[in-house]
Amino acid sequence: MTTDIAIVIGTFLLFVIIILTGKVKIHVAAMVIPIVLELTGVLSFSEAWGGLLNSSIVMMASMFVVGAAISKTSLISKMSKALIKPGASDTRIMVGIMVPILFLGCFVNATATMTIMIPLITAICAEQQRPLSKFMYPAAMLTQIWVGWLPTGGNAGGYLANNTIIENLGGVGTWDYFTTFISKAPFVIICIPLVLILGVKMAPDLGNIPTLEEGASAATAATAAAAKRKKGNLTPGQEKFVIAVFTLCVIGIVTCALTGIDTWYPSTVAAIILVLSGVLSDREAISAMGNPVIFITIGTLPLATALSTTGADEMLADLFNSVTAGWSPFMIMVLMYLVCMVLTQFITNSAVNNAFKMLAALICVQNGYDSRALMLATTLGSANCWLFPSAVPAMTMGFEAGGYTVKQHFKQGVIMSIVMFVIFCLYTPFVFPLV
């Protein structure tokens, strides 16, 4: 083992240990990687910080700006008021809660969605005289199932980042704009109705009905939070303008993806238009581009380069192959899925996914596998996060707001956890085979 290989493997293990212990934010830990690799001379400055000029970073940043503009509109509150009438059934209430969750999930992550939705759900429960425990866990599940399926938010450039990781390891990137959409389609189609049909029924009635005063306070808090985000209400004309720009942006991205043109062009143009039109100030746009996802991508991309250039990738792949010697491709994918699924119950799923996605790509490149298969196993495995509230921030928020015990939280997630594992086994290895 050379000194450079030791440094790269040590940096990789340090990154994994730091994020799995939860002592440091993932994006902070990721930014340590290019610093260490440059200071030790393993990579040059341009190699270590090349992620700053990557097209996936440009697309992510611009889409976060577009999402920030959408969040300033009043569509969310209008959706719920139109769908939930006085005396509505629990299922109808859940549908009314679901619609704004699905809308928000097109632009922001699950944590941000739950932050916006909890005060709204509290106000709805106060008006309908229903317990919070009947809706908080199902709502948190919906945010996690839906988020990232439609490539319209900051995740739209994720496929470019995955391809860059693979190419930096010496492989050929096979991810495209619709890979995540196709991989998650059966999960969304099956699991969302499952939440609506069984989720509310299985949720315990803990009698924690908020008072109208609490509901009013929650609504006021939501309004205040929205006002803080908006920094000035949009006029009806501006709201229509934002929706029009967003619609054209999505159409442009899809068109570019289908015709082979770089997909970051439409999102960048849309972001510039929204700032120049005055819908967003320059400070709001810069704030939106400071999303942790961007820093995670910038930090982890040079690690793939270092693993490939030093030969560390071959060493780690040989170790994995020795463990799984004689295993079928199907069982290799299932193993990766189960490892991530178990770990994510106790460690936030984004940490598990980012730690194992790089390893999955490395193993695939060294063995000639389709990298999508094993990388999807890590992504989908870490998304099976229903059993313990520590699995993901959105579920933690739902756990606290709903007033559940850990046992109640666990019981609500068992069926969904099993269903998602079965869907993975029956679908993913055949649509995205390892070999």
Side-chain angles (χ1 to χ4, degrees), residues 91-111:
T91 301
R92 186 58 185 266
I93 292 173
M94 197 63 239
V95 171
I97 292 172
M98 177 190 70
V99 172
I101 286 176
L102 301 189
F103 176 76
L104 286 167
C106 295
F107 321 110
V108 298
N109 61 28
T111 304

Side-chain angles (χ1 to χ4, degrees), residues 24 55 85 123 127 187 197 204-205 210 232 285 293 310 332 337 360 373-374 396 415:
V24 177
S55 59
K85 305 299 182 183
E127 292 175 358
F187 297 91
I197 296 170
D205 185 342
V293 174
T310 61
I332 291 174
Y337 181 97
L374 213 54
T396 305
I415 292 179

Side-chain angles (χ1 to χ4, degrees), residues 70-247:
I70 285 289
S71 70
K72 296 182 71 172
T73 67
S74 62
L75 288 177
I76 299 167
S77 60
K78 290 179 179 178
M79 287 177 182
S80 292
K81 289 179 180 178
L83 291 168
I84 304 176
K85 305 299 182 183
S89 65
D90 286 352
T91 301
R92 186 58 185 266
I93 292 173
M94 197 63 239
V95 171
I97 292 172
M98 177 190 70
V99 172
I101 286 176
L102 301 189
F103 176 76
L104 286 167
C106 295
F107 321 110
V108 298
N109 61 28
T111 304
T113 299
M114 279 303 289
T115 301
I116 296 169
M117 289 303 301
I118 286 175
L120 181 60
I121 295 171
T122 302
I124 290 170
C125 287
E127 292 175 358
Q128 299 290 332
Q129 288 296 285
R130 299 298 296 142
L132 294 169
S133 58
K134 295 297 291 183
F135 305 101
M136 286 299 181
Y137 185 92
M141 292 185 83
L142 287 173
T143 65
Q144 287 297 137
I145 293 169
W146 180 259
V147 67
W149 183 45
L150 296 179
T152 54
N155 64 297
Y159 78 100
L160 295 172
N162 289 338
N163 281 338
T164 302
I165 290 173
I166 297 161
E167 291 162 3
N168 286 353
L169 288 168
V172 177
T174 54
W175 287 74
D176 62 40
Y177 183 73
F178 300 102
T179 297
T180 300
F181 177 82
I182 295 170
S183 69
K184 291 189 67 175
F187 297 91
V188 172
I189 293 170
I190 294 172
C191 294
I192 287 183
L194 190 63
V195 173
L196 295 177
I197 296 170
L198 292 180
V200 179
K201 292 182 179 179
M202 292 185 62
D205 185 342
L206 302 181
N208 50 351
I209 302 173
T211 64
L212 292 176
E213 290 76 13
E214 290 173 332
S217 297
T220 301
T223 302
K228 184 177 180 180
R229 290 192 306 272
K230 294 179 183 181
K231 298 185 184 301
N233 294 327
L234 299 181
T235 66
Q238 286 178 315
E239 289 201 1
K240 292 179 182 178
F241 176 74
V242 170
I243 295 170
V245 171
F246 167 74
T247 302

